[in-house]
Amino acid sequence: MQNTPAGDRRVALLTLGCARNEVDSEELAARLASDGWRVSTDAADADVVLVNTCGFVASAKQDSIDTLLAAADTGAKVVATGCMAERYGRELANSLPEADAVLGFDHYPDMSARLSEVLDGRTIESHVPRDRRTLLPLTPVERRTADVVVPGHLTVDEHTPAHLRGVLRRRLDSGPVASLKLASGCDRRCAFCAIPSFRGAFVSRTPDEILAEAEWLARSGVRELVLVSENSTSYGKDLGDPRLLEKLLPQLAAVDGIVRVRASYLQPAETRPGLVEVIATTPGVAPYFDLSFQHASEPVLRRMRRFGSTERFLDLLASARALDSEVGARSNFIVGFPGETRADVDELVRFLEAARLDAVGVFAYSDEDGTEAATLPGKVRSDTIRRRYQKVTDLVEQLCAQRAEDRVGSTVEVLVDSIEGDEIEGRAAHQAPEVDGSTTLVDGGLDLATLRPGDLVAARVTGSSGVDLVAVPEKVLSPAARRDG
């Protein structure tokens, strides 16, 4: 494989973890393609397999390692990058000799040259991890001028206005939904979370950059934008306007071709009434609240270095439902955090039973390297954590299934995602991609043969299974551009 002409060099990009990583991979794909690499997502026919790893929790790290090992079996050169590579650097390289290189975020601007060196048999020194929060000024408004690599924020030419310069992104799939990065990093200090240490301090992208990328995505056939970051409710604080997201959402919804904009990763303590109103009432913005509650017991939340309580969280949900009774809501929760008692679990159960959430993720606590929680006393026994995890998981499955059943008889707006044979799958406004279930469209209204991915239809819900819905499409609200022939 050595001495392959540059234009014939093939790289497969494999992405693990969250939607933020997907955006980063598409930035890397654009860089590599512009330098003549043939970019795909198929490791079977690649000279180099570039694995964008996840370093969030133990299971995600294991998935990353398994993917790297499987890539090595193809005979291609294997390079690890992304969060796990950034977080562990040389330690990962020493423990995983199957990887030909471990590259951190600082390698992104020169990724093409680094992969060429790997393919030519040269050794690249693995980076030494550092706390990326220390690389940016403490004051948020001073961060724009810092010369620090932030994946997903790099541009082709920063001196050219955003609407005139090319977008540094190459789509790796052709579906009607795409993630759009608002910001990177986080300034919060949640005791259980290591992400800020390797993703860095919070940095917003400017509205003109985001709008230009949204327009580019729309021209490529995207119909729904999913806004992603580590903490979307902080958007704009480093640009001098902490209410900037409230202004940006209607602008994104007005982009020609976009029929739905979905905000994700909302921090409850920062979700202001004005933002609630914009999300719940703006046409084209999904009335959907992805709220990071994590627990409902006030003592546990304080130990987590978070704010809130059952009553405050219920009030927040009530304020959204007062504007639109059908708003969607999802959240994640950790059980077994150090010091958690039976009474704390009972309080979490009380909240869940009252919250009427559409989708819930439950995580069993485990110590994470470099976090405050790993050093806290009062560790809960592993068998107790397993019991509590199972109890809460069983409960939320029942509650979310009931919430879906409550929607039977209502009319929902469904974006058609995929059509395979006779199966047409889409998502209602309360269903985010990958995590919140889907809606199957069935006969009884419109001719199903006329539907295409990207169509937005009004559909009457006729049944449910778990969090998934079954619905009959009754009207096309906005057809996707037809590309037949």
Side-chain angles (χ1 to χ4, degrees):
M1 293 184 187
Q2 295 186 16
N3 301 318
T4 306
D8 291 332
R9 292 186 168 185
R10 298 161 299 179
V11 57
L13 256 167
L14 307 184
T15 307
L16 299 167
C18 65
R20 301 183 294 273
N21 262 14
E22 294 171 6
V23 176
D24 295 349
S25 286
E26 293 191 348
E27 177 192 289
L28 289 171
R31 289 185 175 280
L32 294 167
S34 68
D35 283 341
W37 288 82
R38 291 160 56 190
V39 181
S40 76
T41 57
D42 183 6
D45 190 34
D47 300 310
V48 182
V49 179
L50 180 61
V51 181
N52 190 350
T53 59
C54 178
F56 180 41
V57 293
S59 59
K61 287 181 274 190
Q62 188 59 53
D63 286 345
S64 295
I65 291 171
D66 292 344
T67 301
L68 289 162
L69 293 174
D73 290 340
T74 67
K77 297 286 188 178
V78 177
V79 175
T81 191
C83 291
M84 187 177 180
E86 175 65 36
R87 185 176 181 184
Y88 294 105
R90 190 176 297 167
E91 179 185 346
L92 176 62
N94 291 339
S95 63
L96 196 70
E98 291 84 356
D100 295 280
V102 175
L103 305 181
F105 295 148
D106 290 336
H107 292 104
Y108 279 32
D110 302 313
M111 186 61 74
S112 176
R114 302 292 81 76
L115 295 190
S116 292
E117 291 171 0
V118 169
L119 194 54
D120 291 340
R122 286 180 255 175
T123 300
I124 300 175
E125 187 73 18
S126 298
H127 80 104
V128 177
R130 51 186 172 170
D131 188 335
R132 295 190 73 85
R133 291 172 293 192
T134 64
L135 304 182
L136 289 165
L138 187 62
T139 305
V141 294
E142 296 178 356
R143 294 172 187 168
R144 299 290 308 169
T145 59
D147 185 19
V148 176
V149 174
V150 181
H153 292 236
L154 303 178
T155 63
V156 177
D157 177 9
E158 63 182 13
H159 303 294
T160 300
H163 69 284
L164 296 177
R165 63 183 179 233
V167 172
L168 190 61
R169 183 167 180 176
R170 179 188 176 96
R171 294 200 70 199
L172 294 172
D173 67 61
S174 57
V177 183
S179 297
L180 178 56
K181 184 172 281 193
L182 280 177
S184 289
C186 186
D187 289 340
R188 303 190 73 87
R189 294 294 181 265
C190 301
F192 54 81
C193 185
I195 290 174
S197 66
F198 55 86
R199 274 290 186 179
F202 185 87
V203 183
S204 301
R205 297 179 69 199
T206 60
D208 60 339
E209 291 173 356
I210 294 169
L211 286 164
E213 188 168 327
E215 291 167 356
W216 178 85
L217 288 167
R219 290 194 297 271
S220 75
V222 170
R223 303 277 280 160
E224 177 177 331
L225 301 172
V226 181
L227 307 183
V228 299
S229 70
E230 275 75 26
N231 179 5
S232 296
T233 39
S234 281
Y235 178 69
K237 72 174 188 179
D238 52 329
L239 302 177
D241 187 354
R243 287 181 164 78
L244 201 52
L245 183 57
E246 299 167 30
K247 302 172 184 177
L248 179 63
L249 282 168
Q251 292 177 282
L252 289 169
V255 170
D256 188 33
I258 298 300
V259 295
R260 181 184 287 163
V261 179
R262 184 184 303 276
S264 61
Y265 303 104
L266 305 178
Q267 172 61 239
E270 298 177 14
T271 304
R272 297 171 297 275
L275 180 59
V276 173
E277 182 176 0
V278 168
I279 293 175
T281 65
T282 305
V285 175
Y288 170 85
F289 291 84
D290 175 15
L291 293 159
S292 175
F293 291 132
Q294 302 300 345
H295 213 283
S297 168
E298 202 162 0
V300 174
L301 287 165
R302 294 300 174 270
R303 285 195 295 276
M304 288 179 168
R305 295 198 179 277
R306 296 178 66 85
F307 301 94
S309 65
T310 291
E311 302 311 324
R312 289 184 184 180
F313 293 161
L314 290 177
D315 286 346
L316 176 56
L317 291 169
S319 70
R321 288 173 176 145
L323 297 165
D324 180 348
S325 61
E326 297 300 316
V327 296
R330 83 169 322 272
S331 192
N332 295 318
F333 298 88
I334 299 171
V335 295
F337 191 80
E340 183 189 66
T341 65
R342 291 180 184 176
D344 294 324
V345 178
D346 290 343
E347 183 67 3
L348 174 57
V349 167
R350 184 172 80 89
F351 169 73
L352 290 168
E353 290 177 339
R356 296 169 56 229
L357 299 174
D358 292 278
V360 174
V362 183
F363 294 87
Y365 173 82
S366 61
D367 288 339
E368 277 294 308
D369 300 337
T371 63
E372 179 186 356
T375 68
L376 290 178
K379 289 292 193 297
V380 181
R381 287 175 36 165
S382 59
D383 58 337
T384 301
I385 292 177
R386 285 194 296 271
R387 286 197 305 272
R388 292 177 181 176
Y389 170 82
Q390 195 60 55
K391 174 182 178 178
V392 175
T393 298
D394 291 345
L395 174 65
V396 299
E397 286 180 358
Q398 297 172 26
L399 294 172
C400 292
Q402 181 60 55
R403 178 68 175 142
E405 188 176 335
D406 291 343
R407 293 186 182 274
V408 174
S410 68
T411 297
V412 294
E413 294 186 359
V414 177
L415 183 75
V416 177
D417 280 336
S418 63
I419 300 176
E420 296 182 9
D422 295 332
E423 293 207 0
I424 301 179
E425 291 292 322
R427 288 170 299 99
H430 69 278
Q431 296 171 320
E434 308 294 337
V435 294
D436 292 342
S438 63
T439 299
T440 301
L441 298 179
V442 297
D443 279 321
L446 293 174
D447 180 0
L448 298 183
T450 65
L451 297 180
R452 297 289 183 273
D455 287 348
L456 183 70
V457 302
R460 178 172 44 86
V461 181
T462 58
S464 66
S465 176
V467 297
D468 299 325
L469 301 180
V470 178
V472 173
E474 297 182 329
K475 181 182 179 180
V476 176
L477 300 173
S478 177
R482 280 6 188 191
R483 300 171 185 269
D484 301 333

